[in-house]
């Protein structure tokens, strides 16, 4: 890696900083009171570098700029004293891997569990996540997605305010602690996916604006300030920085994939976009020898970024978070129609059916929420596994004023039906931590800023909800928890003892049954990829059909889901498996009606299930 501190096999460390606009830069090596000063040489490309033969693993260092300001390494592998402190030399080869040969999993086998390291356990560490891996295996999880872990200011943050993209936050543990978590997951057959942020740096602790303005394009704006310079003058090195970051996490740490946050907010007019270039680097690098996946968050619904090549490989990304399915299901289960839910309010059942059958709801239609602008691209040519679908995520829970989870206010019968439809569909399902046992704890928006920034964030959070009728009164907005308060973070931590008592244990048992059914019967049928399906609505009765084919079977069969989202029982004569209030039950000859909230799964063909 050209950036940062690189240990030399023969001894010593090479330090490099790209700062074309900066004058003479000095490396300070050692603790604050004993640091030695080492002038760095500058080349014509703007690289400042120096090799120190006496430098060793564990040494602290920082860069002193003209004028006396000291800054951490923007490619720091570890900052033990937070983002304003010195960086630490890390030996990337020190960790002894036990499961280095883990090949990953085909994407069609992915069942994703999204978690926040800090709120997942009382300890809030990588080691504590590792301790609970067996429970996730028994649930049926095959992939864990960590919310961003890149070093952020303070002791708590969602992770999207990171400023040192190569450094796991010290609050969670050391780089080797993160490697141990990944290693243990691989030993249990679980893929590890990391959420990364390539559209902005956080507002506190980002020193690049001060000494390397080449990292930003002031002509382009994002919701978080000047855009990262992906297409302007001297952008080649900036692009390389993020490409190396993607390779760093997948090679040095062994992550099996990345979820790239809000790619619609990346400003890049290049002929070959940065997302395409990152995907190509991963495919031609670690992806040559194992499964490495890229998942996008993209409000623009650009199906072209999910295109497949002949033989089933990906041109760019593997999958995208499917907000459309969530939004339709949310309206169906809650009746809410504020904000972006207005685009799904007229026919939520049909739109939920379209999402299940085809992936995106919006494939080029006009969006009322976006003032009539068209949104999305056609998806019928894509396999259904290209859509990561969910009913709850950190966004959809945490962006509510009080962080309330869907099962806290949605219709319980309709929610169970929607979840069964999702988990038994060919989509790639995602559960948000605690969803599997209907956790009572909220997931609130939290951070750990100070001073004027803390006040601005708290004020902005409350003003954000002012457009909703429920928060039109200033007193109502004042009750929204302060994101900076420690109590807000602590309230968001899962209470694991809930899993052992009703009704939580019942929910846990049902989801475990559904995922077991998916593993035993459905996953083999999804192995070849499932094309777009068809759907129909008869009153409150939804039916979705897909063509499926076992990898060892030449005959194409039809997989059907039928669900009753109405108040009255509906006629349905096919056989299959019905989700009852008491759990799953096989009913091979069918019953004449489906009651409210019941879901029937049928598989036609020579091996009727």
């Amino acid at each position: 890696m050209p950036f940062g501190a690189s240990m030399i096999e023969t001894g010593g460390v090479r330090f490099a900083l790209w700062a074309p606009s900066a004058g003479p830069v000095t490396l300070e090596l050692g603790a604050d009171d004993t640091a030695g000063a080492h002038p760095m040489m500058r080349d014509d490309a703007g690289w400042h570098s120096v090799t120190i033969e006496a430098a060793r693993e564990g040494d602290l260092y920082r860069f002193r700029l003209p004028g006396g300001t000291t800054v951490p390494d923007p490619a720091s592998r570890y900052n033990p004293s937070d983002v304003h402190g010195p960086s630490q030399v890390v030996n990337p080869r020190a960790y002894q891997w036990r499961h280095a040969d883990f090949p990953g999993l085909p994407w069609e086998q992915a069942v994703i569990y999204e978690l926040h390291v800090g709120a997942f356990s009382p300890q809030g560490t990588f080691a504590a996540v590792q301790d609970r891996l067996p429970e996730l295996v028994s649930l049926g999880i095959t992939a864990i997605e960590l919310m961003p872990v890149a070093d952020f200011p303070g002791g708590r943050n969602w992770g999207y305010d990171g400023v040192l993209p190569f450094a796991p936050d010290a609050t969670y543990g050391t780089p080797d602690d993160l490697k141990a978590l990944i290693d243990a997951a691989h030993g249990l057959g679980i893929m590890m996916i990391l959420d990364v942020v390539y559209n902005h740096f956080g507002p506190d602790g980002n020193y690049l604006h001060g000494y390397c303005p080449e990292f930003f394009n002031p002509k382009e704006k994002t919701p978080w300030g000047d855009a990262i310079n992906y297409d302007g003058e001297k952008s080649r090195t900036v692009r390389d920085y993020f490409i190396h970051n993607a390779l760093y996490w997948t090679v040095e740490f062994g992550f099996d994939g990345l979820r790239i946050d809000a790619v619609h907010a990346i400003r890049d007019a290049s002929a070959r976009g940065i997302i395409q270039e990152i995907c190509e680097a991963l495919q031609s690098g670690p992806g040559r020898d194992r499964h490495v996946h890229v998942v996008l968050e993209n409000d623009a619904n650009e199906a072209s970024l999910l295109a497949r090549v002949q033989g089933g490989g990906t041109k760019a990304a593997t999958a995208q978070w499917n907000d459309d399915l969530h939004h339709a299901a949310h309206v169906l289960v809650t009746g809410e129609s504020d904000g972006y839910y207005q685009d799904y309010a007229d026919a939520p059942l049909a739109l939920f059916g379209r999402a299940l059958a085809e992936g995106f709801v919006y494939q080029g239609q006009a969006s009322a929420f976006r003032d009539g602008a068209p949104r999305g691209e056609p998806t019928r040519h894509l396999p259904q596994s290209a859509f990561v679908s969910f009913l709850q995520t950190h966004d959809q829970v945490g962006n509510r004023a009080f962080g309330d989870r869907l099962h806290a206010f949605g219709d319980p019968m309709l929610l169970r039906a929607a979840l069964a439809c999702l988990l038994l569909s060919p989509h790639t399902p995602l559960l948000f931590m605690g969803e599997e046992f209907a956790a009572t704890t909220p997931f609130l928006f939290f951070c750990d800023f100070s001073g004027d920034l803390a006040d601005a964030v708290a004020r902005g959070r409350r003003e954000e909800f002012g457009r909703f009728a429920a928060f039109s009164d200033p007193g109502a907005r004042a009750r929204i928890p302060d994101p900076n308060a420690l109590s807000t973070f602590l309230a968001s931590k899962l209470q694991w003892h809930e899993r052992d008592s009703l009704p939580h244990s019942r929910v846990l048992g049902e989801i475990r049954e559904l995922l077991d059914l998916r593993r035993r019967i459905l996953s083999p049928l999804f192995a070849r990829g499932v094309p777009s399906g068809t759907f129909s609505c008869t009153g409150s009765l939804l039916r979705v059909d897909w063509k499926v084919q076992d990898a060892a079977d030449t005959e194409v069969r039809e997989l059907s889901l039928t669900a009753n989202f109405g108040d009255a029982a509906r006629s349905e004569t096919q056989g299959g498996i019905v989700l009852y209030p008491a759990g799953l039950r096989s009913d091979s000859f069918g019953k004449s009606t489906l009651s409210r909230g019941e879901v029937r799964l049928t598989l036609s063909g020579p091996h009727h299930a």
Side-chain angles (χ1 to χ4, degrees), residues 112-114 139 141 419 423 429-433 435 511 515:
I112 306 172
Y113 186 91
E114 186 196 21
L139 177 63
I141 298 302
L419 185 59
L423 296 183
L430 179 146
L431 296 171
F432 180 55
M433 64 175 197
E435 181 180 359
I511 292 179
L515 291 180

Side-chain angles (χ1 to χ4, degrees), residues 122-202:
Q123 301 87 345
T125 62
F126 296 130
V129 176
Q130 182 177 335
D131 289 341
R132 291 201 173 270
L133 290 178
E135 296 174 60
L136 298 182
V137 172
S138 70
L139 177 63
I141 298 302
T142 64
I144 293 172
E145 180 181 309
L146 301 182
M147 289 175 64
V149 302
D151 209 348
F152 50 78
R156 52 195 179 272
N157 196 285
W158 271 18
Y160 300 94
D161 294 314
V163 293
L164 297 176
F166 292 81
D169 194 275
T171 304
Y172 301 149
T174 67
D176 279 2
D177 290 334
L178 176 53
K179 290 177 182 178
L181 165 59
I182 296 166
D183 202 8
H186 287 172
L188 295 170
I190 298 178
M191 292 192 293
M192 293 294 295
I193 299 169
L194 180 64
D195 198 340
V196 293
V197 182
Y198 294 159
N199 51 53
H200 76 290
F201 290 90

Side-chain angles (χ1 to χ4, degrees), residues 576-580 583-585 587 591 594 598-601:
I577 296 172
V578 180
L579 177 65
Y580 286 93
L584 289 172
R585 171 182 162 187
D587 184 4
K591 67 174 201 168
L594 281 181
E598 288 186 347
V599 176
R600 187 186 303 277
L601 174 71

